[in-house]
Amino acid sequence: MAKQLPYQAMREIFARFQAAEAEPKGELHHTNAFTLVVAVALSAQATDAGVNKATARLFEIADTPEKMLALGEEGVTQHIKTIGLFRNKAKNVIKLSRILVEEFGGQVPSSRAALQSLPGVGRKTANVVLNMWWQFPAQAVDTHIFRLGNRSGLAPGRDVDAVERAIEDHVPAEFQLHAHHWMILHGRYICVARKPKCGACIIADLCQYEDKTQ
């Protein structure tokens, strides 16, 4: 685990991320807050590309909690059976849809606690929704961000909660809104697990990773 980078290095790194892509976007397809919640919940232990393929038709016919309930668990299952853990995920989609209708008037709540009360929605999923839909500077830490944070010194921590706190504590405020998107995209496409593409990395000179590739 690398040591936490100093403030000036953090500012320079995120300034570079911003210059390269000022408005980074999540890669999960969605049309509203409800389809975003469902897509993120389905993405656990699955790729964004796989989820997008599975939900393309699903979201055309069921883009509200009411329509999802009308489709039913078996109907959801048929659409998402290419995704890992699809049976349990289909159950959760129906359960969360029912709760949204019965307890939230069919609307997706804008608080972390309320989001986490939904089946299949953990802290990471809640943070993604808060960030992408409600524009809240929440930091959703996945495997890519965890790896990048610890390798580089951007946000070292022994678990995802520690990495989340490190981002909140050390990333300059002006970059907080997009911090997790910049980090996830960099981790997904440049700072990959087995052979990071250090030669193509725009922050390589500031990164503390000792085993840089050529």
Side-chain angles (χ1 to χ4, degrees), residues 73 77 80 84-93 95 120:
E73 184 178 321
T77 299
I80 68 169
L85 308 175
F86 66 92
R87 292 194 184 281
N88 190 55
K89 289 178 179 179
K91 287 185 174 68
N92 283 336
V93 167
K95 288 178 181 177

Side-chain angles (χ1 to χ4, degrees), residues 26-60 62-64 68 76 79-80 83-84 89-90 92-94 96-97 100 108 115 118-122 124-126 128-129 132-133 184 188:
E27 296 183 323
L28 284 172
H29 296 167
H30 60 283
T31 57
N32 55 29
F34 172 68
T35 54
L36 177 59
V37 170
V38 173
V40 180
L42 293 177
S43 71
Q45 300 181 45
T47 65
D48 286 2
V51 172
N52 289 339
K53 185 175 181 180
T55 58
R57 177 59 178 156
L58 174 64
F59 290 161
E60 285 182 4
D63 61 353
T64 68
M68 197 68 75
V76 174
H79 281 91
I80 68 169
I83 301 175
K89 289 178 179 179
N92 283 336
V93 167
I94 292 300
L96 72 83
S97 297
L100 287 174
V108 174
L115 286 166
L118 301 173
V121 177
K124 184 182 78 171
T125 297
V128 171
V129 175
M132 291 181 64
W133 193 258
I184 194 173
R188 182 175 290 166

